[in-house]
Amino acid sequence: MSFWDAVKADRRLIMYTIGFSGTIIMEGYGLATMGNLLGIYNFKKMFGNPVVGPEAFKVPPHLQTLFGLMPQFGALLGIALTPLITDKLGYKKTVLLMVLLSAALATITFVATNVPVLLTGYFLQGIPWGLFQVVSPTYASEIASIQLRPILTTWNNLCWVIGQFLAAAVIVGFFDNMTDMSFRIPFAVQWIFAFVLLVVIFFAPESPYWYLKKNRIPEARKAITKLVRKGNAGLAEEKLALMRHTLEQESKQDDGDTVKGIRKYTGLVNNRVDARRTEIACVTWAIQALCGSSLLGWTIIFLNSTGMARDLLFKVNLAGPTAGLFGTIASWWLMQYVGRRAIYLWGCIAMCALLVGCGFSSFEEDKNKRGLIAGAILAAITLVYDLTLGPICYSIVSEVPSVRRRAATVSAARGMYLVVNLSNYWLTPLMANYPDNGGWGWGPKAGFYHAGWCILGAIYTYFRIPETNNLSARGMDILFQNKTSARKFSPQKAAELESSQAVTSAFRRTSSGDTGDKAVARVVEKP
């Protein structure tokens, strides 16, 4: 099938995946709102300290750091709980429960009048947000066809960008409001997200893989029938057979290759193959966290550190999410012609070049010009990031794990991202703020720091991250089980290895009494 044939055939599948991915819009909006509110006068008056100067109030860097860290701590807890909760309840029930919880917890931030209550609300909201980060790409990867899988997994990044854009737009809308509603209504918008998501996800089916892992074949068949083209019972049976075959082969691999010294753990790493896959997923997401993306969430603070006029500050801030929208959509077109691995590699290189340019912009003497240059480069960084590392990371991380341990592996990878990102939430406010506000005064010079990480990321990508384009879950299993080099991953290589394994299996049966022709025939005919 061509890409457009797949779109026409899988319209319902696309709709259900978009519903699950909508939870990332809620998360992206919530996290971006925190950074944007630091420029709102009444927010600074309520939660900051009085200072001498035109701003009158400022939120000190240590509180800026806490505002960023608390939801990350909550997300780590949510990520740790994800494999346990989804294993018991499934993806659908888990997400519905967490959407309700997130809406209820938004009430805490809405009514907060002091820093402890606000931090408590941020921490608790981070718990469902962490779960959304894992379930959304996992669900998309499990139900999508090969043609749509890169689009539906990277759609999660676009949802993140949409959330950031909406946060920036809402803040601009209430920028001139001189009451507490200027920062309380942005929190309340999350209730609207929750209502829409509950309606959409309610009608979505559970992942068939989850039913199969529970040996609930009839429910799996019913879920698959709801996902494929209406009335195509044959296609539903084919999908069911392939899913069952993939799980059976992964189960056999688990039984035959247990890592010495590591007890069997059904959630994450059971053998050397899973260890490699988990490593790739974790480092891939760590690269995304260290490539300079953390600067984008603090654009207002960075532009403020350049001395840009306040009336331009929030308008220029809208350029970043806008560039991100175009970048993510363009990545869908790019992935039709270029593999994930190549995009990730060149994304690291391009980000490095732009971050170096961001660093050099700090040497411009004119304040407004310096701010505009830095803002333009940050917008370009957003465009490149959302064209390459931002969306492609979701695709790689959700495709690399085995089916049996996908939720646990994605949880571990996202946990690694958040742990690495903790350093960003501590360092970024210090880099962005002036020394008189407790910062280091680096401003755009922080680009030099992240450029170094991009170089290391490019080296790792070249040697360790495989190409996952056009590979089925079974093809991925074959390549990893045969310890194929990351630079040699392809559907053709998987087919060669599977063919050689089939012949070897046939000869083994011959030695135990079968005639060669009959044994080979049975292997070849097996779907």
Side-chain angles (χ1 to χ4, degrees):
M1 296 174 68
S2 69
F3 170 75
W4 289 112
D5 288 336
V7 171
K8 294 175 183 177
D10 295 331
R11 287 191 296 267
R12 292 188 295 172
L13 182 152
I14 294 170
M15 180 184 69
Y16 298 139
T17 305
I18 289 175
F20 271 78
S21 302
T23 58
I24 304 297
I25 297 179
M26 177 185 282
E27 182 210 0
Y29 175 88
L31 291 174
T33 297
M34 299 172 195
N36 290 330
L37 286 177
L38 295 175
I40 296 294
Y41 174 81
N42 283 283
F43 183 87
K44 293 187 290 183
K45 181 180 178 181
M46 178 71 73
F47 302 106
N49 299 326
V51 294
V52 177
E55 289 193 61
F57 296 93
K58 282 186 177 180
V59 177
H62 75 276
L63 282 184
Q64 294 179 21
T65 301
L66 284 175
F67 289 152
L69 287 177
M70 294 310 289
Q72 304 304 314
F73 288 135
L76 282 171
L77 178 57
I79 286 171
L81 294 173
T82 299
L84 300 174
I85 300 175
T86 55
D87 182 62
K88 296 293 183 182
L89 301 179
Y91 299 136
K92 178 178 176 178
K93 290 181 180 178
T94 300
V95 171
L96 288 173
L97 178 63
M98 288 299 159
V99 169
L100 284 171
L101 180 61
S102 180
L105 293 173
T107 306
I108 299 176
T109 54
F110 178 79
V111 302
T113 56
N114 56 62
V115 170
V117 174
L118 189 62
L119 291 176
T120 300
Y122 282 166
F123 170 77
L124 293 176
Q125 276 198 285
I127 297 174
W129 290 348
L131 187 138
F132 296 154
Q133 296 168 18
V134 176
V135 172
S136 182
T138 301
Y139 181 84
S141 181
E142 290 193 0
I143 73 168
S145 60
I146 289 178
Q147 294 93 335
L148 294 179
R149 194 176 63 202
I151 307 298
L152 296 180
T153 52
T154 57
W155 165 257
N156 289 278
N157 187 75
L158 183 59
C159 290
W160 181 279
V161 175
I162 291 172
Q164 291 178 319
F165 181 85
L166 291 174
V170 170
I171 295 299
V172 169
F174 288 92
F175 178 72
D176 293 326
N177 188 306
M178 300 308 293
T179 69
D180 289 354
M181 291 297 106
S182 61
F183 64 86
R184 298 196 189 280
I185 290 181
F187 290 135
V189 170
Q190 295 175 79
W191 297 331
I192 301 175
F193 291 147
F195 175 77
V196 175
L197 290 173
L198 288 172
V199 173
V200 175
I201 296 173
F202 178 80
F203 293 99
E206 180 56 76
S207 168
Y209 274 118
W210 184 81
Y211 283 128
L212 290 175
K213 284 184 280 188
K214 299 295 181 181
N215 201 31
R216 295 163 60 175
I217 310 302
E219 290 97 326
R221 181 180 287 106
K222 184 177 180 181
I224 293 172
T225 304
K226 196 172 182 179
L227 292 170
V228 300
R229 183 183 299 180
K230 189 174 182 180
N232 197 331
L235 181 58
E237 288 299 324
E238 290 175 5
K239 282 182 174 287
L240 178 63
L242 181 57
M243 288 179 174
R244 295 181 68 181
H245 177 63
T246 299
L247 288 173
E248 288 169 3
Q249 295 302 312
E250 288 185 359
S251 179
K252 291 178 182 179
Q253 174 67 23
D254 290 345
D255 295 336
D257 188 23
T258 302
V259 177
K260 184 178 180 181
I262 299 179
R263 293 182 179 181
K264 285 189 177 182
Y265 170 50
T266 57
L268 185 58
V269 175
N270 191 55
N271 51 59
R272 293 176 181 85
V273 173
D274 281 328
R276 180 187 176 191
R277 297 171 95 155
T278 302
E279 172 222 314
I280 293 170
C282 289
V283 178
T284 298
W285 229 325
I287 291 171
Q288 192 202 54
L290 292 168
C291 71
S293 58
S294 62
L295 303 182
L296 307 178
W298 298 85
T299 301
I300 285 180
I301 302 299
F302 271 98
L303 294 179
N304 188 51
S305 70
T306 66
M308 175 179 278
R310 195 162 177 269
D311 60 333
L312 290 175
L313 203 60
F314 287 88
K315 294 178 182 178
V316 173
N317 185 48
L318 279 171
T322 303
L325 286 170
F326 284 107
T328 303
I329 294 172
S331 73
W332 298 345
W333 171 83
L334 186 63
M335 282 189 291
Q336 303 301 313
Y337 303 97
V338 184
R340 277 56 132 192
R341 167 186 160 86
I343 295 175
Y344 216 70
L345 175 63
W346 287 104
C348 287
I349 295 171
M351 288 286 287
C352 178
L354 287 170
L355 287 164
V356 169
C358 181
F360 279 115
S361 71
S362 62
F363 297 107
E364 169 62 45
E365 295 183 359
D366 183 270
K367 289 184 177 181
N368 268 335
K369 188 179 292 186
R370 182 168 65 235
L372 288 172
I373 293 173
I377 293 177
L378 284 172
I381 289 174
T382 304
L383 177 63
V384 171
Y385 171 80
D386 288 303
L387 178 65
T388 58
L389 303 184
I392 305 303
C393 178
Y394 282 94
S395 186
I396 294 173
V397 169
S398 60
E399 291 174 339
V400 163
S402 64
V403 174
R404 285 163 59 84
R405 292 179 174 81
R406 182 169 281 142
T409 303
V410 175
S411 295
R414 190 61 184 183
M416 172 64 77
Y417 170 86
L418 293 180
V419 168
V420 172
N421 219 22
L422 291 178
S423 64
N424 290 331
Y425 278 98
W426 174 60
L427 291 173
T428 305
L430 294 174
M431 294 175 183
N433 282 278
Y434 290 113
D436 61 359
N437 196 33
W440 299 341
W442 287 17
K445 290 188 181 73
F448 293 130
Y449 167 79
H450 290 285
W453 286 112
C454 286
I455 294 173
L456 296 177
I459 294 172
Y460 181 88
T461 300
Y462 180 78
F463 287 103
R464 296 294 289 172
I465 297 180
E467 179 54 67
T468 60
N469 190 30
N470 290 327
L471 278 168
S472 66
R474 178 64 188 136
M476 208 88 67
D477 288 341
I478 292 169
L479 292 168
F480 275 112
Q481 288 165 10
N482 284 275
K483 301 178 182 179
T484 306
S485 166
R487 299 183 295 282
K488 296 181 179 179
F489 267 55
S490 69
Q492 293 77 19
K493 183 67 175 177
E496 292 172 8
L497 290 171
E498 187 169 35
S499 176
S500 64
Q501 289 173 358
V503 172
T504 301
S505 176
F507 279 115
R508 284 176 182 168
R509 296 179 192 183
T510 302
S511 64
S512 63
D514 281 340
T515 63
D517 290 342
K518 290 182 179 179
V520 171
R522 275 193 291 273
V523 174
V524 172
E525 289 172 0
K526 190 175 182 179

